[in-house]
Amino acid sequence: MWVIKPFEELTARELHLIYKERVSVFVVEQNCPYQEVDDTDLVSIHFWKQAEDRLLAYARLIPEAEGVRIGRVLVPQGERTHGYGQELMQVVLEYAKTHFPGLPVHAQAQAYLQDFYWTFGFRPVSDIYLEDDIPHIDMISPTQNSQTENINQQEEKRE
């Protein structure tokens, strides 16, 4: 079962589970020392799936003025062949569509995952760049309205 909660509704045990796995993946596994726990958590909506005391997948959705941003997307190393990443993205994007209608979803993706994000409608909006020595790319999944507007603008240019 997927759990969706704003920060203020997280229990201490849930927060510990989330932070433990985020540090394990983003700091230890990727050998990337940085301030993993940040103030953005306070305004984020947190999504995760767990089995007993194991986290199977996690992401956070951050409301912003120009849309919403998905971040800290992870599936622990031992859980990566079960489709949890695809399920997670479907849950997060459906939530964004329902709770933030008409707003685009932004993602700062690790470059090797560009094709994964592409399957969910994300398109690159930057060149590949290094962040913490890891290649990243900024991507956006436009709203349905934005996609319709883009098609209309392209048709007007042809006329």
Side-chain angles (χ1 to χ4, degrees):
M1 178 178 80
W2 288 96
V3 182
I4 303 168
K5 290 185 178 183
F7 182 83
E8 53 276 349
E9 292 180 15
L10 295 172
T11 67
R13 189 167 295 283
E14 290 168 340
L15 190 58
H16 176 264
L17 182 66
I18 290 166
Y19 284 163
K20 180 180 171 186
E21 202 58 54
R22 283 180 18 188
V23 168
S24 176
V25 170
F26 297 122
V27 178
V28 177
E29 179 184 330
Q30 295 180 356
N31 193 27
C32 186
Y34 73 105
Q35 186 60 49
E36 205 296 313
V37 177
D38 60 21
D39 291 342
T40 303
D41 283 323
L42 300 172
V43 298
S44 296
I45 297 120
H46 301 267
F47 299 75
W48 75 95
K49 186 174 194 170
Q50 72 183 72
E52 298 167 15
D53 62 348
R54 288 186 351 264
L55 193 74
L56 304 176
Y58 170 85
R60 67 183 184 181
L61 191 65
I62 306 126
E64 298 179 331
E66 67 281 352
V68 290
R69 182 168 37 104
I70 188 169
R72 301 295 202 265
V73 177
L74 71 84
V75 174
Q77 210 167 28
E79 307 295 343
R80 291 188 184 151
T81 59
H82 305 292
Y84 297 134
Q86 289 84 359
E87 286 181 40
L88 173 64
M89 290 302 293
Q90 290 168 349
V91 169
V92 172
L93 292 173
E94 186 59 37
Y95 183 94
K97 180 179 171 185
T98 302
H99 292 85
F100 301 97
L103 295 178
V105 180
H106 301 265
Q108 181 187 34
Q110 291 187 12
Y112 82 95
L113 291 169
Q114 185 174 351
D115 290 342
F116 171 79
Y117 282 92
W118 184 275
T119 65
F120 294 98
F122 285 87
R123 299 298 177 256
V125 293
S126 77
D127 291 329
I128 294 175
Y129 59 91
L130 288 179
E131 179 157 321
D132 299 316
D133 291 326
I134 297 172
H136 282 75
I137 189 165
D138 293 334
M139 301 184 81
I140 188 169
S141 179
T143 64
Q144 194 66 22
N145 293 340
S146 296
Q147 290 171 339
T148 303
E149 288 171 14
N150 288 342
I151 291 168
N152 291 341
Q153 288 172 356
Q154 289 172 355
E155 288 175 358
E156 286 174 10
K157 288 179 183 177
R158 283 187 243 144
E159 293 177 351

